[in-house]
């Protein structure tokens, strides 16, 4: 490694993106445990590194020299290796000054209160003093010394002119926190927050709402990176470059959030903007329908508006940490301030305007079924819309004109064409990229023909890499991966579910140990679900967790096990008994690898697409029903099916609720797979779907499965199936959790007693 960043948790860092775009260098993110810092620095195997929390003070004893900026701040965020001597700098001081200047906040003659006493707070203090602050004090949970006051006793610092948060409060993934209520500090001249992810913390949002000049930490991050480049490469600091990087980061990362009246065109305009910019489009109403398993009118009719608003708020809370999306919200979403706040953290809110006479009342909108109720709704909501909107999109002519006008404002009049061209380049090179944000885990899913041979598809390969495959996977796939890796080894396992065991796990562990893999190194799984599961669990357990990249080469694994973070091995005759949630750092799906699959294996994978479409996407189901050549349509089917699973996993990363929908067909299917000895996993799930569906959906599911060459019946002994079901992981004291489909595109959860499932199986076989 030549350049990079060391710290504790780095999953949400922007530094790699900024440094690589700015300087064209390879920049690595290195997560270290506290007991690893000393050894890392003593090896001195780098040219320059940045340092972030919690090690900005930890590193100081291991350095040979401190620059004046580091001595002034009492903390280090940049280290340069000059001929074996480690020199520490603090470029955060420059970053703080740039952040304040960007918000037009001057420290000169002001009373500054800094929340926190760690390394970042010391850089803030150094910047404030260097800029002529009248006084600087720290608010701490455990104050020590004359310049520190209790953080929970605001009366001791109500004379503050400028408040600066230098704590991690409000930082992703724990974005709900707010370090201080600005209602208590009404006379402040400015608020700064060193946190840059989310783009706006609750503290910044609340301050801006009250008209207080304020700024988040992204400008500080970009300016300190430009200053660090000066120490790394000898290129003088360029303030204009820092502003340019900041603008590019904000533009690419900030969500475009659309609000407005029903029928104003939010979904249409939003989808078109997303397509033009190469972004993912998210409609909150679609997610609500998917989560509830019923239409919006049905939710209102069965559970009332309150239940709908609660679901809506849950969905928006789940979207709060997303970046770079286009999000269309329901008409009433922003009536709840918590929804506004969450959408604002990583988004800019645009009101889609449409003349009242052009708004249309429809039966699928419970609060605007007729013209009169629609106009009444407009009068009630328009003041709220305008109070939270940060921009406007006029949609009175055609959606195309509305989008063109928006893009001119978004990029600038002369930059639209070039910006759209740049946005499309990744799609042309790599197909489609979906971004998964499941709790703390964030990673890209690259989908496209030729992705296996595109070096841009891969995560950082400038480290040791173990490529793991099995003896049934064509050797060319692993060999093509190895060509991208400077330092790599290959391990070939025995194929088959019977070899997904602790012996295979030990083989991987031994290979990692023998080649001295560290926590910073990488496993790449190349193969089907068995290889992915074993590698995922090996990565989760080796040194308490290392990165792994999943390259599924079967359709079943591409649609099912490749994303979601569930890893496991079989033990004691029980499938997936020992495992962990451990998400990959990247998933690469190349449909060209499906060309070597047999017809049976190909059909097995399609069962997963049928499963997800049946529960969650009627349009995808219809596409598959009407397809004249399923292989020709697979490039549309794979991304559509993965979006369903991605949305579910993001809302329920650890299978505590909604994620159970992915088990449709699995309850009886797993038992059939175990007992029959002849059906593959996907085939067993196909049969399992027949047991857990009812008309009118069942006949459509059966017809599609049979058309795809999948079985819909079995003759396994019922008593043997029930013996396996009695050990089902989804079993509770109340029964076994199952997923039912009666209407294509929706589902419901049912907990069934074993005797009822047994009766169900017997009755189904008599039909």
């Amino acid at each position: 490694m030549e350049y990079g960043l060391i710290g504790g948790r780095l999953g949400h860092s922007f530094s790699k993106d900024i440094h690589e775009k700015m300087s064209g260098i390879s920049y690595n993110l290195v997560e270290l445990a506290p007991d690893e810092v000393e050894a890392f620095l003593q090896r001195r195997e780098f040219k320059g590194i940045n340092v972030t929390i919690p090690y900005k003070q930890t590193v100081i004893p291991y350095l040979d020299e401190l620059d004046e900026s580091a001595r002034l701040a009492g903390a280090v965020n940049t280290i340069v290796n000059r001929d074996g001597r480690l020199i520490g700098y603090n470029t955060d001081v420059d970053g703080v000054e740039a952040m304040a200047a960007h918000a037009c906040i001057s420290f000169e003659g002001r009373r500054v209160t800094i929340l926190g006493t760690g390394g970042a707070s010391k850089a803030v203090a150094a910047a404030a003093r260097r800029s002529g602050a009248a006084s600087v004090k720290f608010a701490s949970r455990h104050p020590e010394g004359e310049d520190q006051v209790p953080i929970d006793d605001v009366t001791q610092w109500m004379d503050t002119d400028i408040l600066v948060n230098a704590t991690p409060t409000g930082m992703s993934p724990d974005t709900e926190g707010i370090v201080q209520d600005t209602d208590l500090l009404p006379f402040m001249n400015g608020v700064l927050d060193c946190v840059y992810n989310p783009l706006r913390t609750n503290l910044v949002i609340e301050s801006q709402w009250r008209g207080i000049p304020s700024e988040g930490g992204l400008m500080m991050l970009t300016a300190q990176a430009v200053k660090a480049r000066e120490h790394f490469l000898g290129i003088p600091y360029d303030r204009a470059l820092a502003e340019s990087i900041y603008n590019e980061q904000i533009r690419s990362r900030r969500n475009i959030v659309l609000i407005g009246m029903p029928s104003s065109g939010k979904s249409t305009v939003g989808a078109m903007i997303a397509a033009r910019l190469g972004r993912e489009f998210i409609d909150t109403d679609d997610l609500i329908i998917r989560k509830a398993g019923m239409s919006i009118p049905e939710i209102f009719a069965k559970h009332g508006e309150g239940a709908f608003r609660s679901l809506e708020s849950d969905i928006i809370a789940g979207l709060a940490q997303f970046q770079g999306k286009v999000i269309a919200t329901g008409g009433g979403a922003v009536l709840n301030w918590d929804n506004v706040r969450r959408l604002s953290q990583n988004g800019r809110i645009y009101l889609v305007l449409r003349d009242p006479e052009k708004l249309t009342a429809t039966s699928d909108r419970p609060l605007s079924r007729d013209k009169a109720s629609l106009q009444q709704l407009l009068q009630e909501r328009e003041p709220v819309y305008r109070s939270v909107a940060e921009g406007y999109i006029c949609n009175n002519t055609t959606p195309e004109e509305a989008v063109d006008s928006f893009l001119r404002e978004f990029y600038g009049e002369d930059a639209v064409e070039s910006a759209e061209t740049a946005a499309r380049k990744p799609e042309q090179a790599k197909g489609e990229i979906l971004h998964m944000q499941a709790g703390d885990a964030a990673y890209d899913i690259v989908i496209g023909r030729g992705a296996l041979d595109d070096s841009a598809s891969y995560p950082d390969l400038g480290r040791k890499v173990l490529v793991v495959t099995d003896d049934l996977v064509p050797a060319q796939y692993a060999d093509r991966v190895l060509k991208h890796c400077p330092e790599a080894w290959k391990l070939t396992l025995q194929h088959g579910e019977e070899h997904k065991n602790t012996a295979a796990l030990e083989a991987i562990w031994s290979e990692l140990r023998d080649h001295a893999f560290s926590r910073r190194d990488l496993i790449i799984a190349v193969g089907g679900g068995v290889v992915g599961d074993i590698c995922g669990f090996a990565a989760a357990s080796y040194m308490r967790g290392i990165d792994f990249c999943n390259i599924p080469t079967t359709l079943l694994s591409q649609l099912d096990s490749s994303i979601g973070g569930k890893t496991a091995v079989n033990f004691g005759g029980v499938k997936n008994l020992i495992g962990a949630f451990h998400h990959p750092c990247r998933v690469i799906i190349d449909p060209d690898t499906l060309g070597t699959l047999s017809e049976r294996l190909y059909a097995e994978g399609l069962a997963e697409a049928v499963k997800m479409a049946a529960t969650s996407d009627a349009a995808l189901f219809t596409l598959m029903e009407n397809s004249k050549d399923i292989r020709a349509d697979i490039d549309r089917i794979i991304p559509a099916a993965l979006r369903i699973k991605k949305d579910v996993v993001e809302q329920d990363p650890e299978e505590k609720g909604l994620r159970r929908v992915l088990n449709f067909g699995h309850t009886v299917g797993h038992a059939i797979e175990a007992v029959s000895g002849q059906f593959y996993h996907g085939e067993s799930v196909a049969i399992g779907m027949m047991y857990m569906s009812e008309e009118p959906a069942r006949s459509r599911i059966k017809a599609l499965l049979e058309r795809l060459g999948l079985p819909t019946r079995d003759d396994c002994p019922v008593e043997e199936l029930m013996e396996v079901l009695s050990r089902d992981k989804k079993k509770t004291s109340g029964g076994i959790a199952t997923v039912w489909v009666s209407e294509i595109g929706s589902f419901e959860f049912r907990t069934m007693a074993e005797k009822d499932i047994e009766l169900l199986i017997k009755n189904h076989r008599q039909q």
Side-chain angles (χ1 to χ4, degrees):
M1 182 183 85
E2 290 190 335
Y3 301 98
L5 171 70
I6 66 170
R9 292 192 307 174
L10 302 178
H12 298 273
S13 173
F14 298 174
S15 293
K16 178 178 175 67
D17 184 45
I18 291 172
H19 279 276
E20 290 186 344
K21 287 181 178 177
M22 172 176 63
S23 304
I25 60 175
S26 176
Y27 189 94
N28 300 315
L29 302 180
V30 182
E31 293 185 350
L32 297 177
D35 59 0
E36 295 177 313
V37 175
E38 180 179 2
F40 176 86
L41 293 173
Q42 287 180 343
R43 287 195 299 270
R44 305 185 181 216
E45 296 174 347
F46 58 85
K47 291 183 178 179
I49 58 171
N50 293 120
V51 183
T52 189
I53 54 174
Y55 302 132
K56 291 184 178 184
Q57 295 167 282
T58 304
V59 299
I60 291 177
Y62 309 111
L63 306 182
D64 298 297
E65 182 182 338
L66 291 183
D67 174 78
E68 182 183 357
S69 62
R71 290 195 301 272
L72 184 66
V76 167
N77 81 319
T78 301
I79 301 173
V80 176
N81 184 350
R82 299 197 190 283
D83 300 322
R85 286 178 53 78
L86 299 186
I87 304 173
Y89 302 86
N90 195 304
T91 65
D92 279 339
V93 177
D94 302 272
V96 172
E97 291 176 343
M99 173 173 61
H102 192 262
C104 298
I105 295 172
S106 172
F107 288 118
E108 186 175 1
R110 303 293 189 183
R111 294 162 296 189
V112 180
T113 297
I114 303 166
L115 306 178
T117 55
S121 71
K122 291 176 170 55
V124 175
R129 290 175 178 132
R130 192 162 77 178
S131 300
S135 65
V136 175
K137 55 186 165 187
F138 300 85
S140 167
R141 297 191 185 282
H142 307 288
E144 298 176 359
E146 295 181 359
D147 62 348
Q148 296 188 18
V149 296
I151 198 169
D152 54 359
D153 185 2
V154 73
T155 61
Q156 295 199 36
W157 40 286
M158 284 196 71
D159 60 347
T160 295
D161 295 315
I162 298 173
L163 181 69
V164 186
N165 176 40
T167 76
T169 301
M171 183 170 69
S172 183
D174 303 317
T175 58
E176 285 299 291
I178 183 167
V179 74
Q180 188 51 250
D181 185 350
T182 52
D183 272 341
L184 301 175
L185 302 164
F187 305 113
M188 286 187 297
N189 298 104
V191 171
L192 300 172
D193 198 324
C194 296
V195 172
Y196 62 83
N197 191 353
L199 300 173
R200 289 188 287 195
T201 61
N202 288 338
L203 176 64
V204 171
I205 293 167
E206 296 283 355
S207 301
Q208 290 177 345
W209 182 254
R210 289 166 174 77
I212 302 170
S214 52
E215 184 74 28
L218 184 58
M219 189 66 225
M220 174 182 171
L221 176 72
T222 56
Q224 69 82 21
V226 174
K227 186 66 177 179
R229 183 184 72 152
E230 178 179 312
H231 299 305
F232 290 165
L233 305 175
I235 302 173
Y237 176 79
D238 183 344
R239 179 174 175 176
L241 175 63
E243 290 279 354
S244 175
I245 294 171
Y246 169 86
N247 290 332
E248 190 277 332
Q249 289 287 318
I250 280 286
R251 187 182 293 120
S252 64
R253 294 182 180 277
R254 189 161 56 190
N255 298 321
I256 297 166
V257 180
L258 306 184
I259 66 170
M261 285 291 290
S263 76
S264 61
K266 299 186 296 292
S267 296
T268 301
V269 170
M272 291 174 67
I273 290 173
R276 294 273 291 272
L277 297 180
R279 294 190 178 197
E280 182 179 358
F281 175 66
I282 299 172
D283 190 313
T284 59
D285 281 352
D286 287 347
L287 297 184
I288 292 168
I289 292 168
R290 193 171 296 166
K291 184 172 184 177
M294 63 182 74
S295 68
I296 291 175
E298 287 177 316
I299 299 171
F300 270 74
K302 292 182 179 180
H303 305 293
E305 184 181 359
F308 172 80
R309 295 300 173 201
S310 178
L311 268 175
E312 183 174 57
S313 293
D314 289 345
I315 292 293
I316 288 172
L319 298 177
Q321 295 186 43
F322 285 20
Q323 293 182 347
K325 313 294 184 186
V326 179
I327 301 173
T329 64
V334 294
L335 302 180
N336 181 334
W337 169 249
D338 283 337
N339 291 343
V340 175
R341 176 175 53 76
R342 288 166 179 153
L343 291 167
S344 298
Q345 287 176 348
N346 282 308
R348 179 176 170 86
I349 297 177
Y350 292 86
L351 172 59
V352 179
L353 295 169
R354 192 166 178 81
D355 288 344
E357 62 272 14
K358 295 181 179 179
L359 298 175
T360 305
T362 58
S363 60
D364 64 340
R365 296 184 172 95
L367 299 181
S368 54
R369 293 179 181 273
D370 54 61
K371 200 71 174 178
S373 59
L374 186 63
Q375 293 303 315
Q376 178 65 31
L377 208 61
L378 175 61
Q379 290 181 19
E380 294 171 356
R381 291 181 176 177
E382 188 170 29
V384 180
Y385 290 155
R386 292 187 179 275
S387 71
V388 301
E390 300 171 279
Y392 298 90
I393 300 174
C394 183
N395 188 29
N396 278 325
T397 52
T398 66
E400 290 79 8
E401 289 183 22
V403 172
D404 286 341
S405 177
F406 166 79
L407 290 176
R408 283 193 292 271
E409 182 269 333
F410 186 72
Y411 276 115
E413 197 76 31
D414 299 326
V416 176
E417 184 175 347
S418 60
E420 290 180 38
T421 301
R424 285 195 296 269
K425 281 182 180 176
E427 286 191 280
Q428 292 169 349
K430 306 173 188 174
E432 184 166 355
I433 299 176
L434 304 179
H435 183 70
M436 172 74 82
Q437 182 76 57
D440 287 350
Y443 54 95
D444 286 336
I445 305 160
V446 179
I447 310 166
R449 295 187 181 275
L452 205 63
D453 299 313
D454 186 349
S455 60
S457 299
Y458 291 83
D460 173 27
L461 298 178
R463 47 184 163 169
K464 293 179 181 178
V465 177
L466 178 64
V467 178
V468 182
T469 187
D470 70 35
D471 54 13
L472 201 61
V473 178
Q476 58 163 308
Y477 297 148
D479 292 343
R480 283 157 65 186
V481 173
L482 286 166
K483 290 179 181 178
H484 298 284
C485 307
E487 187 178 10
W489 293 264
K490 177 181 173 182
L491 175 65
T492 302
L493 304 173
Q494 290 180 281
H495 74 273
E497 190 73 28
E498 66 273 21
H499 295 295
K500 194 173 91 173
N501 53 29
T502 53
L505 202 58
E506 288 182 14
I508 296 175
W509 286 336
S510 297
E511 199 77 12
L512 297 172
R513 178 203 59 199
D514 292 347
H515 295 292
F517 272 57
S518 72
R519 289 181 66 221
R520 297 181 292 279
D521 296 322
L522 175 71
I523 299 174
I524 299 181
V526 182
V530 170
V531 174
D533 278 1
I534 297 171
C535 287
F537 188 51
S541 51
Y542 182 76
M543 288 192 171
R544 299 178 183 172
I546 66 172
D547 282 349
F548 91 102
C549 169
N550 205 346
I551 305 180
T553 58
T554 66
L555 186 55
L556 179 68
S557 59
Q558 288 179 356
L559 296 180
D560 182 23
S561 59
S562 65
I563 68 172
K566 292 170 72 171
T567 70
V569 294
N570 306 332
F571 185 75
V574 181
K575 184 179 175 72
N576 297 331
L577 183 64
I578 303 174
F581 283 98
H582 187 68
H583 290 270
C585 64
R586 182 74 51 86
V587 177
I588 302 170
I589 295 176
D590 188 338
D592 285 341
T593 62
L594 305 179
T596 55
L597 292 183
S598 67
E599 289 295 329
R600 186 180 179 187
L601 285 173
Y602 201 96
E604 179 196 20
L606 289 170
E608 286 295 323
V610 174
K611 175 195 79 174
M612 286 183 272
T615 59
S616 306
D617 193 337
L620 174 59
F621 196 94
T622 302
L623 167 66
M624 297 178 71
E625 282 181 315
N626 296 336
S627 175
K628 292 181 172 56
D629 183 348
I630 204 74
R631 285 184 179 255
D633 288 328
I634 201 66
D635 288 353
R636 297 168 63 191
I637 292 169
I638 290 173
L642 284 172
R643 281 192 202 94
I644 296 169
K645 183 163 185 178
K646 181 184 85 74
D647 290 345
V648 169
V649 171
E650 286 176 333
Q651 295 176 61
D652 183 14
E654 298 183 359
E655 200 170 5
K656 295 178 180 178
L658 176 65
R659 189 164 174 171
R660 289 180 295 151
V661 68
L662 301 176
N663 292 324
F664 175 51
H666 284 228
T667 304
V668 179
H670 279 170
I672 292 170
E673 184 181 2
V675 172
S676 73
Q678 65 175 6
F679 291 121
Y680 291 167
H681 173 74
E683 295 171 333
S684 301
V685 170
I687 300 169
M689 285 189 272
M690 299 309 302
Y691 286 113
M692 295 296 163
S693 59
E694 55 195 12
E695 297 302 340
R698 179 184 289 170
S699 59
R700 290 180 66 188
I701 294 172
K702 182 174 186 290
L704 179 55
L705 291 173
E706 290 177 345
R707 182 166 167 267
L708 296 174
L710 288 159
T712 56
R713 300 188 72 86
D714 73 290
D715 57 2
C716 296
V718 177
E719 62 275 11
E720 293 185 32
L721 293 178
M722 296 312 300
E723 170 61 25
V724 176
L725 280 166
S726 70
R727 302 192 299 270
D728 192 287
K729 297 193 299 293
K730 299 177 288 297
K731 182 179 178 181
T732 65
S733 58
I736 296 175
T738 67
V739 183
W740 275 79
V741 171
S742 56
E743 295 280 350
I744 296 298
S746 63
F747 64 90
E748 65 174 297
F749 295 126
R750 296 181 189 175
T751 300
M752 301 180 66
E754 290 180 51
K755 61 181 179 60
D756 292 331
I757 295 179
E758 182 176 0
L759 181 62
L760 174 79
I761 294 172
K762 291 177 179 177
N763 289 342
H764 175 71
R765 291 183 176 180
Q766 294 173 0
Q767 296 176 6

